[in-house]
Amino acid sequence: RRSADLKEKGLFKEVKDNPMVVPICSRSKDIVEPLMKPQWYVRCDQMAKGAADAVRNGELKIIPDFHLKTWFNWMDNIRDWCISRQLWWGHRIPAYFVTIDDPSVPPAEY
């Protein structure tokens, strides 16, 4: 039905077969079936806004200057970061807890 609607409007292009590739384990020769797993994400929008604002107001300087366009493109168009794959493959995630032993520095809000 949808293809008929598209054909009526002149928007239909073509129908093609899509051969399925069945993944096979190299060791056991078993068929590898996809297994849905929960995905964990890190929300990045506020962190990226802070990083972009730090450059815009001069708190942080990008050297050399020609990298500014790339910096702002990344920071202004940031997407949430799926860390599930990194955890699965054992990749390290840059997450740290820093303790500052200086009474002149106000404590962070967690």
Side-chain angles (χ1 to χ4, degrees):
R1 178 73 189 134
R2 289 182 186 167
S3 62
D5 291 341
L6 291 171
K7 285 177 185 175
E8 278 180 22
K9 296 179 180 181
L11 300 173
F12 184 80
K13 184 174 178 184
E14 66 184 315
V15 173
K16 289 200 281 186
D17 286 335
N18 186 11
M20 183 177 158
V21 177
V22 178
I24 305 288
C25 176
S26 61
R27 291 185 181 178
S28 68
K29 306 302 180 211
D30 290 332
I31 294 174
V32 179
E33 297 184 40
L35 179 61
M36 296 300 291
K37 291 285 200 179
Q39 298 295 302
W40 301 324
Y41 288 84
V42 173
R43 179 168 284 138
C44 297
D45 55 349
Q46 290 300 314
M47 181 172 41
K49 182 184 180 321
D53 289 347
V55 173
R56 285 187 178 103
N57 66 27
E59 292 176 59
L60 180 66
K61 182 163 177 59
I62 303 294
I63 300 172
D65 286 346
F66 64 80
H67 287 300
L68 285 170
K69 183 178 179 183
T70 302
W71 173 264
F72 288 122
N73 186 43
W74 281 17
M75 295 300 115
D76 295 338
N77 299 296
I78 198 82
R79 291 183 287 174
D80 290 344
W81 176 26
C82 177
I83 62 170
S84 302
R85 187 173 175 94
Q86 272 108 347
L87 294 175
W88 179 260
W89 291 106
H91 297 201
R92 299 182 96 182
I93 296 171
Y96 303 94
F97 182 81
V98 177
T99 303
I100 299 173
D101 190 20
D102 183 349
S104 67
V105 177
E109 295 178 22
Y110 302 104

